[in-house]
Amino acid sequence: MEYKGFSFSASLLGLALFLFLLHTSYGDVTYSVLEELKRGSVVGNIAKDLGLDAKRLMYRKARLDVQGSSKRYCEINLNTGDMVIAEIIDREQLCGRRISCTLKYEMVLENPLELHNIILQVQDINDNSPLFGEDIVTFDIRESAVKGARFSVNPAHDADIGLNAVQSYTLQRNDHFILAVHTNPGSEKYGELVLDTELDREQKQEVTLILTAVDGGTPQRSGTVVIHVTVLDANDNKPVFSENVYKVSVPENAPLGSLVVTVTAIDADEGANGEVTYGFGPISEELNQLFSLDPKTGDIRIAGQMDFEDESIHELRIKAKDGSGLTSFAKIFIEITDVNDNAPVISLKSLTNPIPENVLPGREVGIINVLDKDSGGNRQVRCFIQQNVPFKLNPSIKNYYSLITTSELDREIISDYNITITATDEGSPPLSSSKTIHLSLSDVNDNPPVFEEQSYSAYVTENNKPGSSVCSVTARDPDWRQNGTVVYSLLPSDVGGVPVSSFLSINGDTGVIHTVKSFDYEQFRNFKVHVVARDNGSPPLSSNVTVSVFITDENDNSPQILYPAPAGNSLMTEMVPKAALTGSLVSKVIAVDADSGQNAWLSYHIVKSTDPGLFTIGLHSGEIRAQRDISESDSMNQNLVISVKDNGQPSLSTTCDVYLLISDNLAEVPELKDMAYEDSSKLTSYLIIALVSVSTFFLTFIILILAVRFCHSRKPRMMFDGAVAI
Ligand SMILES: *[C@@H]1O[C@H](CO)[C@@H](O)[C@H](O)[C@H]1NC(C)=O
Ligand SMILES: *[C@@H]1O[C@H](CO)[C@@H](O)[C@H](O)[C@H]1NC(C)=O
Ligand SMILES: *[C@@H]1O[C@H](CO)[C@@H](O)[C@H](O)[C@H]1NC(C)=O
């Protein structure tokens, strides 16, 4: 019989052949024969051993009967009497594990019948190697198995027996196991793996060992089996974070849901033992709302609004847990980086409002504070006023600014300011904010009332009604309320020694000037008053203006005849020479009018005469001239009635009588006397003449003085024309 890998060489067998004659009792022969001999190998010479004649074997029809076996294995060579192997004997097939393996034959001879027992003892040879039941033995050993743990390996079988069977085992040198060899009750040897060094699945997931079983034959045979140890996981590993401390930075304006960091923890274990879930360690409610952690992926994301200005660094503890509850921790420092997300905030710390308009330039009127919650450059703030206003910001301590005036202010020009303060930080892009400060100026009585005109003129017609208004003055004061309320009054003064208040009065509120009494142009023609406008400030301011009052004339005076004396009052006779020629001046009527202008422009007319046509009168000169030569036939006494009229509307007039005596001789005066007064003496006539002469001289003198006065008058005016020297 052939086993895998084994064959016997015939020559070896031939040499090894050896016959062993045990004993021949009862004519029986026992042979010991090695198994596996080649066909034809001689086991023994039966004829010789049984004492038979080999030559007669044929004749006696010698044959071998086999007891109880289908196979014969041996034959007799009838020629030689040798018993030879006819079929290769395989002890193992024949006898298995029995120690004694015999084949029993009966040799039958005829003539005479003879029966011999022939026993063939089949000896084992080491023709089988130890053989393990399987090619691969597998063990699943949990890595938590402790030192000394035993794992028995099914014994190896060797079909051979005795020494040729398995004698020992050897285990290939390895890191973990040693071998213990035991003998089981069936005296079979088996090996046991003893754990000598503990296993670590995470280091080595499987261990391959080669176990060799050796028998005791010569030559020795061996069989091996591969022992495959699969190291089973035990939850002996905590999850391990890739870093103990994670440091990340996130801009504060990172949108919700954006990834901050992904933490990773690796658990060397397998399956559920190696399945890591993440969670936060002890965490404040606030942080819990700020960050979310995906338990599966370890993604930490932003879940709430972060604010650098609240907290610039967050510390989180995270936990990694495997399926059976082993945990480990790591820290995450999340640094929030500043983003320019805060505009500067301008706050008004103090403000003087309103400020008096007379503050000096450089005066501090307010204090402003500017705060930017960002950091670094995002916090640097520039502060300025954009408008063109007389204010500026002066940096003061830290982020304080003083608002100061830069020039003089005038409430009457600009009464309030909207000051817009803009603060811009230096972030990119910069943020800015502005604040408008409303500042008003309070009034100071710094403006006196100012009259609308430099001076005023008022014209009043004489004989006016007392109380009539003459003119009105107006002064303006731009100041506020009582500081700008104007009250008018007359400055006390005299007009020709009379207080002005007896002529005029002024309405303190309206500035309307009234007359107090009736004026007479002929008394005075103009005068000046000063009107004062005063405000109600404290102290008050005032200014004054001159009002010139001109009184205009009214024709309220009739002409007055100065020469000749009015009729009836005196007797005046003018001497006219008898030889007076045409055009010669014989007399002159002198009249005055207290009025002026047209009202005083006099004209003369002869309304009645003794001899009309003899004399004429100059219309405006009042000169009486001869209209023709005087002749002897003319009456000696001539009488003229002269009317003097002014040019007013309506005009006024006066009349007078002029007596003319045509004579060359004073001797004729009595006639004159007779003519004038019926019974007056000569002496009286002389006295009258002397008186007339003196009066004429005196009147001429007065007229001259009047003429001089009128010449100095501003407005050229019609004067009475009677300034003629007589
Ligand atoms: C200031 O602002 C107020 C309100 O916005 C406005 O009524 C006022 O006219 C402004 N004054 C000036 C001087 O611009
Ligand atoms: C008038 O001016 C004075 C200072 O000259 C000031 O004290 C006062 O408040 C002003 N009055 C008003 C109504 O503004
Ligand atoms: C009137 O005004 C003038 C200047 O305008 C001033 O010099 C004078 O003192 C004033 N008179 C009075 C009484 O206020």
Side-chain angles (χ1 to χ4, degrees):
M1 188 169 183
E2 288 242 326
Y3 282 102
K4 206 174 13 174
F6 292 92
S7 69
F8 283 89
S9 112
S11 58
L12 260 176
L13 274 169
L15 278 170
L17 177 76
F18 106 94
L19 299 168
F20 194 77
L21 191 64
L22 290 170
H23 66 246
T24 56
S25 60
Y26 313 111
D28 292 351
V29 178
T30 301
Y31 293 106
S32 181
V33 66
L34 295 177
E35 58 171 330
E36 305 285 346
L37 287 182
K38 271 200 313 188
R39 217 173 277 176
S41 303
V42 176
V43 176
N45 193 303
I46 297 175
K48 193 174 137 201
D49 293 339
L50 289 175
L52 298 172
D53 183 3
K55 288 170 185 145
R56 290 181 52 86
L57 288 178
M58 187 89 77
Y59 168 73
R60 293 187 69 180
K61 293 184 182 169
R63 67 176 185 271
L64 283 175
D65 285 345
V66 182
Q67 293 178 353
S69 169
S70 55
K71 282 193 171 177
R72 299 183 57 83
Y73 296 113
C74 290
E75 298 281 349
I76 296 178
N77 186 334
L78 293 177
N79 293 324
T80 61
D82 286 342
M83 187 167 171
V84 295
I85 302 292
E87 256 180 286
I88 292 171
I89 307 166
D90 183 1
R91 190 204 69 83
E92 286 75 27
Q93 194 187 30
L94 201 60
C95 305
R97 300 212 55 80
R98 283 201 302 276
I99 301 291
S100 151
C101 183
T102 55
L103 282 169
K104 291 182 175 161
Y105 296 92
E106 282 180 343
M107 183 153 114
V108 181
L109 292 164
E110 292 177 17
N111 290 325
L113 180 68
E114 247 179 86
L115 204 66
H116 298 280
N117 285 325
I118 296 171
I119 295 169
L120 207 61
Q121 287 193 329
V122 181
Q123 300 293 322
D124 185 40
I125 68 162
N126 195 18
D127 61 343
N128 286 289
S129 301
L131 198 66
F132 289 94
E134 322 85 325
D135 291 344
I136 295 179
V137 176
T138 58
F139 283 109
D140 288 343
I141 302 176
R142 198 159 289 280
E143 59 179 323
S144 54
V146 293
K147 180 173 174 170
R150 285 161 184 269
F151 307 92
S152 47
V153 185
N154 283 337
H157 292 287
D158 192 323
D160 298 323
I161 53 168
L163 267 183
N164 290 339
V166 173
Q167 295 303 309
S168 68
Y169 293 91
T170 56
L171 184 65
Q172 183 196 32
R173 181 182 289 274
N174 69 88
D175 294 337
H176 294 282
F177 294 96
I178 54 172
L179 188 72
V181 179
H182 299 283
T183 309
N184 67 14
S187 77
E188 201 180 20
K189 292 202 162 113
Y190 65 91
E192 217 175 31
L193 299 179
V194 179
L195 187 60
D196 192 41
T197 307
E198 283 171 2
L199 295 167
D200 186 355
R201 193 198 65 81
E202 288 70 37
Q203 243 173 36
K204 214 190 270 180
Q205 296 198 356
E206 41 194 42
V207 180
T208 304
L209 305 166
I210 294 174
L211 181 63
T212 307
V214 290
D215 58 22
T218 320
Q220 199 174 40
R221 285 174 169 264
S222 64
T224 58
V225 69
V226 174
I227 300 176
H228 194 95
V229 177
T230 305
V231 184
L232 293 185
D233 186 46
N235 192 23
D236 57 347
N237 284 288
K238 289 179 171 188
V240 176
F241 278 102
S242 57
E243 281 167 64
N244 281 336
V245 175
Y246 293 87
K247 284 188 176 155
V248 287
S249 67
V250 185
E252 59 176 325
N253 64 347
L256 290 189
S258 53
L259 184 66
V260 177
V261 63
T262 301
V263 294
T264 331
I266 295 189
D267 190 311
D269 295 325
E270 252 187 344
N273 292 338
E275 223 164 68
V276 179
T277 52
Y278 303 94
F280 286 122
I283 187 172
S284 68
E285 184 53 34
E286 179 196 354
L287 279 180
N288 200 15
Q289 285 177 358
L290 222 47
F291 299 103
S292 71
L293 172 57
D294 186 318
K296 287 262 181 297
T297 61
D299 288 347
I300 294 182
R301 291 177 187 278
I302 291 166
Q305 198 59 56
M306 287 185 306
D307 191 356
F308 168 85
E309 288 71 31
D310 278 356
E311 191 77 64
S312 66
I313 194 155
H314 294 296
E315 185 185 328
L316 292 175
R317 273 167 71 78
I318 42 167
K319 182 172 72 176
K321 191 167 81 170
D322 67 17
S324 29
L326 288 181
T327 53
S328 59
F329 290 91
K331 268 186 193 172
I332 304 181
F333 288 106
I334 299 173
E335 189 192 350
I336 311 297
T337 53
D338 187 38
V339 168
N340 193 21
D341 59 348
N342 287 286
V345 176
I346 303 171
S347 46
L348 190 58
K349 292 295 178 191
S350 81
L351 182 69
T352 314
N353 190 16
I355 51 168
E357 58 176 324
N358 63 351
V359 294
L360 294 176
R363 164 81 180 275
E364 179 180 273
V365 297
I367 294 172
I368 281 136
N369 176 259
V370 183
L371 250 190
D372 193 303
K373 286 207 281 177
D374 294 319
S375 67
N378 296 341
R379 190 189 180 90
Q380 296 301 314
V381 175
R382 267 182 330 115
C383 210
F384 52 92
I385 296 171
Q386 254 168 347
Q387 302 123 310
N388 186 18
V389 288
F391 295 92
K392 68 172 180 180
L393 285 173
N394 255 13
S396 179
I397 36 170
K398 277 175 79 187
N399 37 15
Y400 284 87
Y401 294 84
S402 317
L403 181 65
I404 61 170
T405 59
T406 55
S407 66
E408 287 184 350
L409 306 174
D410 190 351
R411 191 201 68 86
E412 285 74 38
I413 297 172
I414 301 175
S415 66
D416 57 350
Y417 292 93
N418 285 337
I419 304 166
T420 304
I421 295 169
T422 306
T424 305
D425 64 24
E426 284 173 10
S428 94
L431 292 178
S432 63
S433 61
S434 51
K435 186 182 188 76
T436 300
I437 296 173
H438 186 82
L439 194 65
S440 19
L441 303 186
S442 65
D443 188 43
V444 166
N445 193 21
D446 55 354
N447 287 285
V450 173
F451 282 98
E452 283 181 344
E453 320 239 335
Q454 296 266 318
S455 64
Y456 290 84
S457 300
Y459 296 90
V460 191
T461 310
E462 60 177 331
N463 305 319
N464 56 304
K465 267 198 228 139
S468 59
S469 81
V470 173
C471 80
S472 109
V473 296
T474 313
R476 311 234 172 250
D477 187 329
D479 288 325
W480 183 244
R481 296 266 163 87
Q482 67 260 34
N483 290 342
T485 306
V486 179
V487 177
Y488 303 93
S489 61
L490 292 177
L491 200 64
S493 65
D494 290 346
V495 177
V498 183
V500 76
S501 58
S502 54
F503 294 109
L504 293 174
S505 73
I506 189 162
N507 182 321
D509 297 331
T510 61
V512 176
I513 300 172
H514 299 273
T515 54
V516 171
K517 66 171 206 177
S518 185
F519 294 127
D520 185 359
Y521 176 83
E522 288 71 33
Q523 197 178 0
F524 47 79
R525 299 184 174 179
N526 61 62
F527 59 94
K528 289 186 178 173
V529 288
H530 291 279
V531 176
V532 178
R534 186 185 311 272
D535 61 27
N536 264 342
S538 150
L541 295 176
S542 66
S543 59
N544 61 63
V545 74
T546 308
V547 178
S548 306
V549 180
F550 296 99
I551 296 153
T552 52
D553 187 39
E554 211 175 37
N555 195 19
D556 58 347
N557 289 288
S558 321
Q560 268 188 307
I561 305 214
L562 302 179
Y563 180 85
N569 280 356
S570 67
L571 186 65
M572 289 230 279
T573 300
E574 204 69 59
M575 295 277 284
V576 179
K578 281 181 181 162
L581 295 175
T582 304
S584 59
L585 182 66
V586 294
S587 182
K588 182 175 170 65
V589 176
I590 298 167
V592 290
D593 193 311
D595 295 320
S596 67
Q598 296 285 336
N599 295 340
W601 196 26
L602 301 181
S603 54
Y604 301 84
H605 305 276
I606 298 171
V607 288
K608 202 177 151 197
S609 64
T610 313
D611 182 359
L614 184 56
F615 296 104
T616 63
I617 187 157
L619 182 59
H620 295 298
S621 61
E623 287 170 354
I624 299 170
R625 292 177 186 273
Q627 207 170 10
R628 58 174 168 80
D629 296 344
I630 308 264
S631 65
E632 285 296 321
S633 60
D634 288 330
S635 159
M636 203 179 159
N637 293 314
Q638 293 286 335
N639 194 7
L640 301 172
V641 177
I642 308 286
S643 157
V644 181
K645 238 189 331 184
D646 63 24
N647 203 25
Q649 288 289 340
S651 68
L652 298 174
S653 63
T654 317
T655 55
C656 67
D657 293 334
V658 175
Y659 298 102
L660 299 173
L661 181 65
I662 302 173
S663 168
D664 293 333
N665 199 338
L666 268 178
E668 288 168 346
V669 168
E671 284 182 57
L672 180 138
K673 180 201 156 193
D674 291 341
M675 186 181 66
Y677 305 99
E678 268 92 54
D679 46 5
S680 67
S681 66
K682 225 178 207 171
L683 181 65
T684 313
S685 297
Y686 284 128
L687 279 173
I688 288 168
I689 288 165
L691 192 68
V692 166
S693 303
V694 168
S695 297
T696 306
F697 182 76
F698 175 71
L699 269 175
T700 308
F701 180 65
I702 285 180
I703 286 163
L704 273 173
I705 289 173
L706 279 172
V708 166
R709 197 170 154 196
F710 278 119
C711 281
H712 282 92
S713 173
R714 236 189 320 172
K715 217 152 126 191
R717 211 171 277 195
M718 224 31 169
M719 280 170 268
F720 58 96
D721 301 325
V724 174
I726 295 172

